[in-house]
Amino acid sequence: MSTAGPAGTPFRSGFTCFVGRPNAGKSTLLNAIVGEKVAITSDKPQTTRRAVRGILTRPDAQLVIVDTPGLHRPRTLLGERLDDLVRSVWADVDVIGFCLPADERVGPGDRRIAADLAERVGGTPVVGVVTKIDKVSRERLAEHLLEVAQLLPDRDVVPVSAVARDGVDTLIDLLVARLPEGPMLYPDAESTDEPVETRIAELVREAALDGVRDELPHSLAALVTEILPPDPDAAKPVTKVYVTLYVERPSQKPIVLGPKGSRLGAVGRRARLQIEELLGGRVYLDLHVTVAKDWQRDPKQLRKLGFDG
């Protein structure tokens, strides 16, 4: 693998992570940098539940971006494990991007994260990333940049819009400049190291999150139970994918199903299109909804769903 960039310049490789409060635009920014969808997105806070890695390879560098769950005061065992996951990632990266959305004021949660970073990360560089700048006026953006600069003195602060790709290349250059010299860590064609089963389950959960309210988004989980490869001799090969959606209470199950299963059918149609794009072929998607009582607080259920302690 290459260890030199263009014209003999040293090749750089390493890890960065995006941290911030829930719904700070971290996953959308990751997808914009990588150039394809590797993390699901939603307007529901705390959509991200895993450390999702996206990989950007260019002639002079390979940047591995770790998208982390939003930091918040945990109320469940799952919440505690997600917060622990975020802080464990900090110790293993070369640079940290602290995301603060321009359409929200700097608040107590941001100040807690800034203090936590100052205490825990030592000499690891931190870059302030002001996200969602397309949602605010120039005057409001100027105010927000000043607030962030005061929160992160002596740190670089970059305004970006992942949707418009405004400032994204500048951010990439800043992150790459802070990586150590070294060889590629992944094959240059890879955009993520997420298992395909995990990506499929997340696409189903993303589709199921659309339009639900109140506590239900936090109670939804998805797990791929089986993938049957297509028959190579079939005239129209179809991959069969079986996914179980979990809720925490019996009263939540009919919400996910909808009248006569109509809502679940819509979820399946939306998810299937994205799964077909991911797998590169026709897919039959079978969805099943079941109740796993208070799974966010149950160590056994968390382990089953992949949230190991």
Side-chain angles (χ1 to χ4, degrees):
M1 291 190 179
S2 174
T3 57
T9 58
F11 191 87
R12 296 182 180 276
S13 62
F15 292 81
T16 185
C17 71
F18 290 146
V19 301
R21 288 184 286 115
N23 217 20
K26 302 180 293 294
S27 300
T28 304
L29 182 56
L30 167 65
N31 292 338
I33 289 175
V34 174
E36 70 174 83
K37 183 174 184 171
V38 297
I40 67 168
T41 59
S42 169
D43 60 359
K44 309 294 186 298
Q46 300 167 40
T47 296
T48 301
R49 289 178 176 163
R50 305 176 189 276
V52 180
R53 282 181 288 272
I55 305 161
L56 171 70
T57 304
R58 64 185 202 181
D60 63 333
Q62 186 172 74
L63 177 67
V64 184
I65 311 112
V66 187
D67 180 28
T68 60
L71 278 168
H72 62 292
R73 291 196 182 279
R75 295 175 300 187
T76 64
L77 179 57
L78 173 63
E80 291 174 10
R81 290 189 177 175
L82 296 186
D83 274 15
D84 290 343
L85 169 66
V86 175
R87 290 179 173 89
S88 70
V89 169
W90 293 358
D92 296 325
V93 297
D94 302 292
V95 55
I96 294 170
F98 180 9
C99 296
L100 302 104
D103 61 342
E104 297 180 34
R105 297 261 176 200
V106 171
D110 299 311
R111 285 188 276 273
R112 274 198 305 273
I113 295 170
D116 216 357
L117 286 169
E119 179 183 338
R120 292 171 180 260
V121 303
T124 303
V126 176
V127 174
V129 185
V130 173
T131 58
K132 306 185 183 183
I133 65 172
D134 54 295
K135 293 191 171 186
V136 298
S137 66
R138 289 186 179 183
E139 292 76 16
R140 173 61 199 130
L141 177 58
E143 290 175 15
H144 193 72
L145 288 171
L146 183 59
E147 292 172 13
V148 174
Q150 291 170 344
L151 182 69
L152 301 173
D154 305 319
R155 307 284 195 185
D156 284 319
V157 177
V158 187
V160 301
S161 166
V163 174
R165 278 202 66 88
D166 189 6
V168 172
D169 291 334
T170 299
L171 173 61
I172 293 171
D173 288 341
L174 272 175
L175 297 174
V176 164
R178 287 158 176 76
L179 298 181
E181 296 179 15
M184 281 199 286
L185 305 168
Y186 293 91
D188 59 8
E190 284 193 19
S191 59
T192 183
D193 63 356
E194 285 287 287
V196 68
E197 292 85 358
T198 301
R199 296 184 72 181
I200 289 172
E202 287 289 87
L203 289 172
V204 170
R205 184 166 68 91
E206 178 186 51
L209 283 171
D210 187 34
V212 297
R213 302 186 306 277
D214 303 324
E215 83 288 349
L216 187 53
H218 306 294
S219 296
L220 273 171
L223 184 69
V224 172
T225 54
E226 190 173 22
I227 298 178
L228 298 178
D231 179 353
D233 298 325
K236 295 182 178 179
V238 176
T239 300
K240 295 181 179 179
V241 178
Y242 297 84
V243 179
T244 299
L245 277 164
Y246 292 87
V247 293
E248 292 190 289
R249 290 182 289 284
S251 61
Q252 295 170 332
K253 186 172 179 178
I255 299 174
V256 177
L257 290 170
K260 298 181 179 179
S262 59
R263 190 175 181 285
L264 187 65
V267 168
R269 287 189 293 275
R270 177 179 171 184
R272 179 177 54 79
L273 292 174
Q274 297 195 70
I275 295 168
E276 287 181 337
E277 186 175 340
L278 174 64
L279 299 182
R282 288 161 53 89
V283 166
Y284 166 79
L285 177 62
D286 182 275
L287 299 182
H288 176 69
V289 184
T290 192
V291 178
K293 184 175 172 57
D294 293 330
W295 66 261
Q296 292 186 82
R297 295 171 172 81
D298 184 339
K300 184 177 178 182
Q301 295 285 3
L302 287 173
R303 194 159 47 248
K304 176 182 177 180
L305 293 168
F307 302 107
D308 299 276

